[in-house]
Amino acid sequence: MPLTSVSTTVDETNEGRVDIIVRELSETSRSQARGMIDHGCVMINGSPCKSVGTTVKPGDLVAVRYDKHQRYREKKRQWDDRTFEIVFEDEHIIVVNKSAGTLTVPTDRGEPNSLVDRVSIYLSYSKSKKEAFVVHRLDRETSGLLVFGKHEPIADLLIEQFKDRRPTRVFHAIVAGNVAEDEGTFESHLATGSNLDRYETRPGKDTDQAITHYKVVRRLAERESSHGEETTLIEAQLETSKRNQVRVQFANAGHPVLGDPRYKPKEATHARWHRKRMALHASTLGFFHPVSGEPVNFDTPLPSAMEKFVAGARGRSDRKA
């Protein structure tokens, strides 16, 4: 079967996305046009077009060579979003790895592109047209695992688990200084100030009990002794899930999280930590599936910024067995 060849030189009237031009040249559907691009039927200035999102400008030559009788199906694409990665998904829940710098939900100022908005946009493209319902949150400059319900009743069931302290939540953090004890527990009560900062105080009707179990993963000393700064990579398991509890408790112990702009920020600086984000990552999340009742557990590695920091230091061998 002979192939059909068509081409055009782009001008001001049709510049823009190449898939639209291919659709017009081939007089076919947009889906078929995108399939042609995926199957190597489209050339731009003599070179293969590799993406359906490619844009062309006046003077570019777009050429299409295809079989009129063939169905060119689009290749399945992974969802690409800088605010999150999909870790797990079924018809009831979605677990994502949030990027640092992303709000979980908008504040009263109504910021765009919050995580719940972005996940809802992703879900709106599915056949079921679901949306994301918030279960729990992470601070803006903290990365890591979050679960959303795809139905409000599912989210409510998960929220009840968090209230009952049933989920497993483990964070990794790089904190300032040398944490002396290999492991320990912080137990305190947190209140909220007028500026929304959290602080430790005596138990009261307006305070939240916060319990964090921690252990030292690695004590870090600088390869260049002139820096004179020590840090510690710690693992913190939350018995309670209260806002800012890891940040507040470690800061009050003299070991603020690197990059923390709120709790002891002057002590949270380091010569090699240049990121706007905090060195805090929600690495493990476990709970009971709200429909099946089966335990599910998810893990993510340290983000690259934290990995690079740890790799750039030398470990100390003084951790007790």
Side-chain angles (χ1 to χ4, degrees):
M1 185 70 66
L3 298 179
T4 299
S5 297
V6 289
S7 63
T8 187
T9 299
V10 179
D11 59 27
E12 289 80 3
T13 65
N14 62 354
E15 64 179 315
R17 289 180 62 107
V18 71
D19 56 336
I20 297 175
I21 293 176
V22 173
R23 181 184 65 184
E24 294 171 349
L25 279 174
S26 60
E27 298 180 336
T28 186
S29 68
R30 187 167 183 175
S31 175
Q32 175 81 336
R34 292 161 71 94
M36 289 179 184
I37 294 171
D38 285 344
H39 287 82
C41 301
V42 179
M43 308 283 284
I44 301 176
N45 299 326
S47 299
C49 177
K50 297 181 179 180
S51 171
V52 298
T54 300
T55 58
V56 288
K57 59 185 183 301
D60 286 338
L61 176 65
V62 178
V64 186
R65 193 165 183 262
Y66 67 105
D67 183 347
K68 284 187 174 181
H69 303 284
Q70 180 177 336
R71 171 63 176 162
Y72 294 95
R73 296 186 180 277
E74 292 184 67
K75 293 180 181 178
K76 188 174 182 180
R77 293 176 173 81
Q78 289 188 334
W79 186 263
D80 184 18
D81 195 306
R82 289 186 294 178
T83 64
F84 70 94
E85 297 174 330
I86 300 168
V87 176
F88 173 82
E89 180 181 6
D90 64 16
E91 61 181 311
H92 305 291
I93 63 173
I94 180 169
V95 178
V96 303
N97 184 16
K98 181 183 89 69
S99 300
T102 302
L103 283 167
T104 305
V105 298
T107 68
D108 293 339
R109 293 189 292 271
E111 295 90 344
N113 294 318
S114 68
L115 184 64
V116 67
D117 292 333
R118 298 305 304 171
V119 176
S120 290
I121 289 171
Y122 161 73
L123 294 176
S124 72
Y125 280 83
S126 66
K127 293 180 181 179
S128 57
K129 305 289 185 184
K130 293 184 171 67
E131 64 178 295
F133 291 91
V134 176
V135 174
H136 59 125
R137 307 181 187 192
L138 289 175
D139 297 329
R140 183 175 198 153
E141 297 303 335
T142 301
S143 57
L145 294 168
L146 286 157
V147 60
F148 291 91
K150 290 187 177 181
H151 318 271
E152 192 167 10
I154 292 294
D156 290 341
L157 290 172
L158 289 167
I159 289 169
E160 288 302 313
Q161 289 191 41
F162 277 81
K163 288 180 179 179
D164 293 339
R165 304 182 183 181
R166 299 176 71 190
T168 298
R169 299 188 71 191
V170 177
F171 286 70
H172 281 82
I174 303 170
V175 300
N178 178 7
V179 177
E181 298 297 325
D182 287 345
E183 57 186 47
T185 296
F186 292 129
E187 184 170 357
S188 58
H189 281 75
L190 303 181
T192 303
S194 58
N195 59 355
L196 299 183
D197 281 1
R198 301 280 272 172
Y199 60 93
E200 293 185 339
T201 186
R202 295 178 179 179
K205 63 185 179 105
D206 296 322
T207 66
D208 296 317
Q209 185 184 33
I211 304 173
T212 304
H213 308 285
Y214 73 86
K215 65 180 180 180
V216 169
V217 177
R218 186 180 175 192
R219 295 182 176 92
L220 307 168
E222 289 306 299
R223 296 183 185 277
E224 298 295 332
S225 58
S226 60
H227 285 156
E229 296 175 284
E230 291 186 319
T231 52
T232 307
L233 175 64
I234 60 94
E235 178 183 290
Q237 181 163 344
L238 275 59
E239 183 173 324
T240 59
S241 295
K242 303 304 179 183
R243 182 171 68 85
N244 296 173
Q245 76 175 61
V246 172
R247 296 166 62 187
V248 173
Q249 289 176 327
F250 272 93
N252 285 351
H255 302 290
V257 175
L258 291 194
D260 195 327
R262 177 171 284 188
Y263 302 107
K264 297 193 176 179
K266 291 182 179 179
E267 298 174 36
T269 60
H270 190 278
R272 288 196 301 109
W273 188 260
H274 308 296
R275 309 278 181 161
K276 291 183 178 179
R277 64 158 297 158
M278 291 185 291
L280 182 62
H281 178 69
S283 49
T284 298
L285 177 63
F287 51 89
F288 292 95
H289 193 283
V291 175
S292 71
E294 294 295 319
V296 290
N297 199 78
F298 307 97
D299 295 282
T300 58
L302 289 180
S304 61
M306 294 175 67
E307 284 278 13
K308 289 176 181 177
F309 184 92
V310 172
R314 58 183 175 85
R316 290 178 49 172
S317 58
D318 59 352
R319 190 182 191 281
K320 306 180 184 70

